Amino acid sequence: MWYAIVLAGGSGSRMGADRNKVLLELRGEPVIVRSVRAFQGLVDGVVLVTRGEDIPAVRAAVESARLPVTIVPGGDSRQASVWNGLCALPSDCTHVLIHDGARCLVDGGTIRRCMTSVEECGTGVAAIPAIDTIKQVDETNIVTATPDRATLRAVQTPQGFTVDLIRRAHVAAMQEGFLGTDDASLVERLGVPVRLTLGDRRNIKLTTPEDMLMAEAFLPADFPALRIGQGYDVHRLVEGRDLILCGVNVPHTLGLLGHSDADVALHALMDAMLGAMALGDIGKHFPDTDERYRGISSMKLLEHVVALLEENHARVTNCDVTIVAQKPKLLPYIPQMRENVAAALQLPIDRVNVKATTTERLAFEGREEGISAQAVCMIHQQ
Ligand code: MG
């Protein structure tokens, strides 16, 4: 079983922030939420370690994002915080990834490479080749050595280990009073080989205000503001009912059967609008068991759906409705249908199309047993 320990203990001092930097927002979302979410679907659970005073705020942030995590208080040092996290792992946890909460841009590939390496050899630590030439200096800033850059790596997190190994390394470090800047160094002291895996240059540790700007630039683009929706509906043709299509009462010997006025074209359109917004379908919003909707004009229902979209800061930008009927001839009524729809959607007429087709006498539409309608629409969400 895999767990991630996410460290969210840092203050905001180098960030110049008035609070724990993991609570700062990056494009509207707290850093810690982004960090924890990176592990979702990859591990079986997350233990989040943070300062006691930050627990309520951190808990509120991750709960609002509906992320299942165990939150434990941190210790006096990074190492002590990791130890607290290790102590909070469930007994059947065999593998662990230790991650800086301030590295919220970590990607699935980096995490997976660490995990694969741990499964192969017990360790897997994200790192990238050094780009700068690194100098070693003495206390007076005089260079004492220039290590060969090809042999240097900048180490990131996650750092992954089998749980037994990392626990053993922490116990040994505690007993010897050794304080490391990362977990790998504790394992190295045991004489156990630590294997590095490829990290990512975008996997930066948010430390200064400039890092926030860089992270903003690295974030993947938001979803486009446009959404597309599709709807389909069928109603049976019967005697003794009006034939209502896009709000127009079309003279005919048969009409459509339904709980409402059975305006199959508007039903398809409404389903397209609800579908684009992932709001279900009209059956969910206007159940045919509800007496309020008996015989109701579907134009009224369309107004409800338009209002629902407005509540979600969304509006239709164009739509196309196809009515499939063998009879009657619908062409003379199409201009009025377009006007009705355009008025309800508050659109210019040239953004609303209604068309009709027959099925060359094939299928239920061709046999005049029923009429079907299809609709697509584009929606802009602010
Ligand atoms: Mg219907």
Side-chain angles (χ1 to χ4, degrees):
M1 181 189 264
W2 275 97
Y3 257 67
I5 295 174
V6 177
L7 301 166
S11 72
S13 56
R14 271 185 290 176
M15 190 63 81
D18 56 354
R19 56 192 151 146
N20 187 330
K21 63 185 176 183
V22 300
L23 290 168
L24 295 177
E25 287 189 354
L26 202 54
R27 213 182 281 167
E29 196 162 54
V31 165
I32 191 62
V33 171
R34 291 178 178 276
S35 295
V36 172
R37 188 184 295 127
F39 291 91
Q40 247 182 352
L42 295 172
V43 297
D44 300 294
V46 173
V47 171
L48 215 163
V49 190
T50 193
R51 296 182 302 190
E53 68 260 38
D54 289 332
I55 287 181
V58 166
R59 189 184 301 282
V62 293
E63 269 178 8
S64 71
R66 293 193 213 101
L67 296 167
V69 295
T70 306
I71 303 179
V72 297
D76 293 334
S77 62
R78 183 190 185 282
Q79 197 167 309
S81 292
V82 173
W83 177 249
N84 289 0
L86 288 170
C87 292
L89 293 177
S91 56
D92 49 352
C93 175
T94 49
H95 299 72
V96 65
L97 294 164
I98 298 164
H99 186 63
D100 297 324
R103 292 188 194 267
C104 69
L105 296 175
V106 66
D107 65 299
T110 296
I111 295 172
R112 276 197 200 89
R113 287 190 287 275
C114 289
M115 294 173 79
T116 303
S117 177
V118 175
E119 275 160 5
E120 285 168 1
C121 70
T123 61
V125 171
I128 51 172
I131 285 185
D132 298 319
T133 296
I134 309 283
K135 302 278 185 190
Q136 206 159 17
V137 294
D138 66 13
E139 55 285 355
T140 63
N141 238 13
I142 298 298
V143 173
T144 55
T146 302
D148 177 8
R149 190 174 61 186
T151 67
L152 295 175
R153 301 288 181 272
V155 172
Q156 307 178 328
T157 68
Q159 302 199 346
F161 311 94
T162 57
V163 171
D164 287 345
L165 174 62
I166 191 64
R167 280 213 177 111
R168 198 149 53 85
H170 270 262
V171 168
M174 261 186 280
Q175 283 168 349
E176 292 154 26
F178 175 79
L179 215 52
T181 53
D182 73 345
D183 296 283
S185 58
L186 308 192
V187 174
E188 292 157 35
R189 293 181 78 252
L190 292 180
V192 174
V194 171
R195 191 208 264 172
L196 302 185
T197 59
L198 184 62
D200 190 295
R201 288 187 53 77
R202 285 164 294 192
N203 181 20
I204 56 173
K205 187 173 180 181
L206 300 176
T207 309
T208 65
E210 295 76 36
D211 294 336
M212 294 297 280
L213 293 176
M214 230 192 301
E216 181 85 32
F218 287 150
L219 277 182
D222 285 332
F223 288 112
L226 291 177
R227 287 167 171 249
I228 193 162
Q230 175 263 345
Y232 173 70
D233 196 23
V234 174
H235 280 262
R236 185 184 290 276
L237 277 167
V238 294
E239 287 177 354
R241 290 270 300 182
D242 287 337
L243 175 59
I244 316 283
L245 293 168
C246 289
V248 177
N249 196 330
V250 179
H252 191 43
T253 52
L254 303 172
L256 292 173
L257 183 64
H259 183 68
S260 65
D261 66 356
D263 189 331
V264 68
L266 291 190
H267 291 188
L269 176 60
M270 287 187 273
D271 269 351
M273 294 162 69
L274 293 168
M277 296 304 294
L279 287 169
D281 58 22
I282 52 171
K284 175 182 160 191
H285 292 270
F286 314 112
D288 61 10
T289 49
D290 192 328
E291 278 307 308
R292 281 180 299 167
Y293 304 124
R294 179 174 293 282
I296 195 171
S297 162
S298 295
M299 289 299 297
K300 281 261 173 278
L301 302 182
L302 181 57
E303 281 170 28
H304 279 290
V305 175
V306 169
L308 198 60
L309 259 59
E310 264 168 22
E311 281 169 33
N312 287 278
H313 313 286
R315 56 175 300 212
V316 174
T317 60
N318 80 294
C319 67
D320 183 18
V321 180
T322 303
I323 302 168
V324 185
Q326 190 64 42
K327 272 186 188 167
K329 277 246 168 298
L330 296 176
L331 195 61
Y333 307 100
I334 291 221
Q336 187 60 49
M337 291 181 190
R338 289 177 70 199
E339 265 177 48
N340 290 351
V341 172
L345 300 183
Q346 296 156 339
L347 282 179
I349 195 84
D350 68 352
R351 291 198 162 248
V352 174
N353 194 59
V354 178
K355 55 194 191 292
T357 183
T358 72
T359 55
E360 306 280 354
R361 302 217 153 267
L362 294 168
F364 67 85
E365 299 100 326
R367 294 190 297 268
E368 296 176 58
E369 293 165 5
I371 292 179
S372 69
Q374 301 181 30
V376 287
C377 69
M378 186 71 85
I379 281 176
H380 183 255
Q381 188 175 30
Q382 231 117 40

